[in-house]
Coordinates of all heavy atoms in Angstrom, one line a residue:
G64 N 8.2 19.5 -39.4 CA 8.9 18.8 -40.5 C 8.9 17.3 -40.4 O 8.6 16.6 -41.3
F65 N 9.3 16.9 -39.2 CA 9.4 15.5 -38.9 C 8.0 14.8 -38.9 O 7.8 13.8 -39.5 CB 10.0 15.2 -37.5 CG 10.0 13.8 -37.0 CD1 10.7 12.8 -37.6 CD2 9.1 13.5 -35.9 CE1 10.6 11.5 -37.2 CE2 9.0 12.2 -35.5 CZ 9.8 11.2 -36.1
M66 N 7.0 15.5 -38.2 CA 5.7 14.9 -38.1 C 5.0 14.9 -39.5 O 4.2 14.1 -39.8 CB 4.9 15.6 -37.1 CG 5.3 15.5 -35.7 SD 5.3 13.8 -35.1 CE 3.6 13.8 -34.4
G67 N 5.4 15.8 -40.4 CA 4.8 15.9 -41.7 C 5.4 15.0 -42.7 O 5.0 14.9 -43.9
A68 N 6.5 14.3 -42.3 CA 7.2 13.5 -43.3 C 6.3 12.3 -43.7 O 5.8 11.6 -42.9 CB 8.5 12.9 -42.6
K69 N 6.2 12.2 -45.0 CA 5.4 11.1 -45.6 C 6.1 9.7 -45.4 O 7.3 9.6 -45.7 CB 5.1 11.4 -47.0 CG 4.3 12.7 -47.2 CD 3.2 12.5 -48.2 CE 2.5 13.9 -48.3 NZ 1.1 13.8 -48.1
L70 N 5.4 8.8 -45.0 CA 5.9 7.4 -44.8 C 5.6 6.6 -46.1 O 6.4 5.9 -46.6 CB 5.4 6.7 -43.6 CG 5.8 7.4 -42.3 CD1 5.1 6.7 -41.1 CD2 7.3 7.4 -42.1
F71 N 4.3 6.6 -46.5 CA 3.8 6.0 -47.7 C 2.5 6.6 -48.1 O 1.6 6.8 -47.2 CB 3.8 4.4 -47.5 CG 3.1 4.0 -46.3 CD1 1.7 3.7 -46.3 CD2 3.8 3.8 -45.1 CE1 1.1 3.3 -45.1 CE2 3.2 3.3 -44.0 CZ 1.8 3.1 -44.0
G72 N 2.3 6.8 -49.3 CA 1.0 7.4 -49.8 C 0.8 8.7 -49.1 O 1.7 9.6 -49.0
N73 N -0.4 8.9 -48.5 CA -0.7 10.1 -47.8 C -0.6 9.9 -46.3 O -1.0 10.7 -45.5 CB -2.2 10.5 -48.1 CG -2.3 11.1 -49.5 OD1 -1.4 11.7 -50.0 ND2 -3.5 11.0 -50.1
I74 N 0.1 8.9 -45.9 CA 0.3 8.6 -44.5 C 1.6 9.2 -44.0 O 2.7 8.9 -44.5 CB 0.3 7.1 -44.2 CG1 -0.9 6.4 -44.8 CG2 0.5 6.8 -42.7 CD1 -2.2 6.8 -44.2
N75 N 1.5 10.1 -43.0 CA 2.7 10.7 -42.5 C 3.0 10.3 -41.0 O 2.2 9.5 -40.4 CB 2.6 12.2 -42.6 CG 1.5 12.8 -41.8 OD1 0.9 12.2 -40.9 ND2 1.1 14.1 -42.1
V76 N 4.1 10.7 -40.5 CA 4.5 10.3 -39.1 C 3.4 10.8 -38.1 O 3.1 10.0 -37.2 CB 5.9 10.9 -38.8 CG1 6.2 10.7 -37.3 CG2 6.9 10.4 -39.7
A77 N 2.9 11.9 -38.2 CA 1.9 12.4 -37.3 C 0.6 11.5 -37.2 O 0.1 11.2 -36.2 CB 1.4 13.9 -37.6
F78 N 0.2 11.1 -38.4 CA -1.0 10.2 -38.4 C -0.6 8.8 -37.7 O -1.4 8.3 -37.0 CB -1.4 9.9 -39.9 CG -2.5 9.0 -40.0 CD1 -3.8 9.4 -39.8 CD2 -2.4 7.6 -40.4 CE1 -4.9 8.6 -39.9 CE2 -3.4 6.8 -40.5 CZ -4.7 7.2 -40.2
V79 N 0.5 8.3 -38.0 CA 0.9 7.0 -37.4 C 1.0 7.2 -35.9 O 0.5 6.4 -35.1 CB 2.3 6.5 -38.0 CG1 2.8 5.3 -37.2 CG2 2.1 6.1 -39.4
F80 N 1.7 8.3 -35.4 CA 1.7 8.5 -34.0 C 0.3 8.7 -33.3 O 0.1 8.2 -32.2 CB 2.6 9.8 -33.7 CG 4.1 9.5 -33.6 CD1 4.6 8.5 -34.3 CD2 4.9 10.3 -32.9 CE1 6.0 8.2 -34.2 CE2 6.3 10.1 -32.8 CZ 6.8 9.0 -33.5
G81 N -0.6 9.4 -34.1 CA -1.9 9.6 -33.6 C -2.6 8.2 -33.4 O -3.3 8.0 -32.4
V82 N -2.5 7.4 -34.4 CA -3.1 6.1 -34.3 C -2.5 5.3 -33.2 O -3.2 4.5 -32.5 CB -3.0 5.3 -35.7 CG1 -3.4 3.9 -35.6 CG2 -3.9 6.0 -36.7

Side-chain angles (χ1 to χ4, degrees):
F65 170 70
M66 294 296 271
K69 299 224 183 230
L70 297 175
F71 46 91
N73 287 330
I74 307 297
N75 62 15
V76 173
F78 180 77
V79 171
F80 276 26
V82 169

